Amino acid sequence: MGSLEIRVSSREGSSDYGGTGRVSAAELQGIMDRIRSSVEEHKVQAAMDIRRLTKTSSRNRRHLSLAVEPLVSMLRSRSSESNEAAILALLNLAVKDERNKISIVEAGALEPLISFLESTNSNLQEYATAALFTLSASSVNKSRMSASGAIPLLVKVLTDGSQQAKIDATVTLYNLSTIVDNINTILSFHPIPPLVAFLKTCNKSSKTAEKCCALLESLVALDEGRTALTSEEGGVLAVVEVLEDGSPQSREHAVGALLTMCESDRSRYREVILKEGAIPGLLELTVQGTLKSQAKARRLLELLRDSPYPRSELQADTLENIVSNIVSQIDGDEQAEKAKKMLAEMVQISMEKSLRHLQRRALMCTPTELPLGKRPWEVSSK
């Protein structure tokens, strides 16, 4: 499982100002008076003001943290307008503020937020999913969230929700999956069919694909997850497509998922991975991926050959031999030809990288640092 925890990005601001400016003590007091009012319209307006003032200002999030409890109370209102205004205000209060994330959950927000996941009001469902996504970034909240029954409803949103709600549900489930005990719970509600369906429809180089693959990498850590992925039509192929066309981070998750499968039971998953044409993408990763991707791709290529080396015997210069061995076993002229072409390109890129490394080394070294016989510019002193 990857150690990276996905946090809010597109929803978070980065400036303390962003047009909001400083808020006077009188204005803050006025907002707090309105949010505690018994008049619904006053509460809604106060919630809207809180949302506006905390959109980009960490200072205002601190000043207005006392509004958490009355906002959570608004979640229990029968008015959808009050519900939506409160969720959006709480969402901005929680962004980039660990203390507010925790206090929102401690104030009792999970129960109403989770109930909104079943709402027929698509806006309310979408806002609630976004709020849970933000709150799940806090390690303190994860166990409480899973214990509150969020997981089955998040899987349901992944199946039936709007595009944005599906994205936020996926990342929330990923964040919850960083607690190992939650992986079994997530898998018990069969998330892989809707997750694969979602992955198939999205651009493989998108952030959405990255989030889907991050969750899949977590889920295939268990046998039930691996079985579900290989049983789903086009499941492994969807991961291989990300391996070829995804962003660097997406490809790292994709190769991580495939490597986990092959390491868990090579005899069971080797042919499945080869059949879906993973070799070209793996070859490219060995020279163009992130450092983690390169290492994982090399290890997976080793496992995919007919008789893998023991890990201790694998040498850096055996990669071409490993790949040649695999290519010779691939069925289908087109796929084998593509793999051979990728191998040639990989060797060329590897040679160019080695040459650049030697050139840089030559520029950086002083004559005395280079081995004897490698200093043609030296003139004999005799």
Side-chain angles (χ1 to χ4, degrees):
M1 188 192 308
S3 60
L4 172 68
E5 179 170 304
I6 300 181
R7 296 179 182 271
V8 178
S9 54
S10 60
R11 300 182 186 278
E12 291 192 353
S14 57
S15 168
D16 276 355
Y17 301 97
T20 60
R22 287 185 178 274
V23 184
S24 68
E27 185 177 357
L28 289 172
Q29 188 58 53
I31 291 171
M32 292 305 302
D33 290 343
R34 290 195 300 277
I35 201 70
R36 291 173 176 143
S37 168
S38 59
V39 180
E40 197 77 20
E41 291 179 3
H42 292 176
K43 289 182 177 181
V44 171
Q45 185 57 54
M48 293 169 67
D49 288 340
I50 292 169
R51 179 194 179 194
R52 172 177 57 83
L53 293 170
T54 56
K55 184 176 181 180
T56 59
S57 173
S58 59
R59 181 184 296 109
N60 289 345
R61 291 182 198 119
R62 285 286 87 231
H63 289 326
L64 289 164
S65 60
L66 292 175
V68 166
E69 288 195 13
L71 284 168
V72 170
S73 295
M74 288 176 67
L75 297 178
R76 298 185 174 86
S77 168
R78 294 185 178 182
S79 163
S80 60
E81 183 183 16
S82 289
N83 297 154
E84 291 180 18
I87 293 173
L88 293 173
L90 288 167
L91 181 58
N92 281 359
L93 279 168
V95 164
K96 294 184 177 179
D97 194 306
E98 180 74 6
R99 282 183 288 176
N100 280 351
K101 284 181 175 73
I102 295 169
S103 65
I104 288 168
V105 170
E106 289 179 341
L110 286 182
E111 183 183 350
L113 286 174
I114 290 169
S115 71
F116 293 148
L117 297 181
E118 296 183 283
S119 175
T120 55
N121 180 329
S122 59
N123 283 339
L124 198 54
Q125 183 190 73
E126 191 170 304
Y127 298 157
T129 310
L132 291 170
F133 165 20
T134 305
L135 296 173
S136 71
S138 168
S139 58
V140 176
N141 291 338
K142 292 175 185 178
S143 296
R144 294 175 180 176
M145 196 174 291
S146 54
S148 298
I151 289 173
L153 295 178
L154 287 166
V155 173
K156 190 173 187 302
V157 171
L158 182 57
T159 305
D160 302 323
S162 67
Q163 179 81 0
Q164 187 59 53
K166 287 180 178 180
I167 294 171
D168 290 345
T170 299
V171 186
T172 307
L173 287 168
Y174 171 78
N175 284 346
L176 295 179
S177 76
T178 60
I179 294 180
V180 176
D181 290 345
N182 281 342
I183 299 178
N184 265 321
T185 306
I186 294 169
L187 285 169
S188 69
F189 294 100
H190 311 292
I192 286 185
L195 185 59
V196 168
F198 191 32
L199 180 58
K200 286 179 180 178
T201 63
C202 67
N203 185 317
K204 299 302 180 289
S205 61
S206 66
K207 276 285 185 182
T208 303
E210 178 185 327
K211 293 166 182 178
C212 288
C213 283
L215 179 55
L216 280 172
E217 185 181 11
S218 289
L219 297 179
V220 298
L222 296 186
D223 183 62
E224 186 178 348
R226 297 188 287 270
T227 300
L229 181 61
T230 52
S231 300
E232 188 65 22
E233 184 176 356
V236 175
L237 177 59
V239 177
V240 170
E241 288 174 346
V242 175
L243 185 74
E244 292 183 336
D245 301 322
S247 67
Q249 199 61 48
S250 298
R251 299 175 82 187
E252 189 175 305
H253 289 304
V255 71
L258 296 176
L259 178 59
T260 296
M261 293 170 65
C262 208
E263 284 186 326
S264 70
D265 191 338
R266 177 180 175 275
S267 62
R268 181 179 178 185
Y269 296 113
R270 175 178 173 272
E271 291 300 328
V272 174
I273 295 170
L274 283 174
K275 180 183 175 183
E276 299 300 355
I279 298 303
L282 290 172
L283 289 175
E284 188 174 333
L285 273 187
T286 62
V287 290
Q288 294 184 342
T290 65
L291 291 177
K292 286 184 179 180
S293 294
Q294 289 182 29
K296 290 178 180 180
R298 284 175 176 268
R299 173 60 179 157
L300 183 53
L301 284 167
E302 176 199 349
L303 290 171
L304 292 176
R305 73 191 298 275
D306 193 32
S307 299
Y309 294 107
R311 182 183 288 270
S312 60
E313 295 179 14
L314 180 62
Q315 302 297 321
D317 62 355
T318 62
L319 180 58
E320 289 81 0
N321 292 332
I322 292 171
V323 176
S324 297
N325 174 279
I326 298 169
V327 169
S328 68
Q329 301 166 53
I330 295 177
D331 293 328
D333 293 339
E334 183 178 348
Q335 191 180 134
E337 192 60 37
K338 184 177 181 181
K340 289 176 182 177
K341 182 179 178 181
M342 288 294 300
L343 174 58
E345 292 175 356
M346 179 199 72
V347 172
Q348 180 64 30
I349 292 171
S350 181
M351 290 174 64
E352 290 172 357
K353 287 176 70 176
S354 296
L355 180 60
R356 286 196 297 270
H357 176 73
L358 288 173
Q359 289 171 336
R360 286 196 300 269
R361 180 176 171 82
L363 289 171
M364 293 171 63
C365 290
T366 64
T368 56
E369 289 174 326
L370 292 175
L372 292 174
K374 299 290 184 178
R375 292 172 269 170
W377 58 85
E378 284 193 359
V379 178
S380 174
S381 59
K382 293 182 180 179

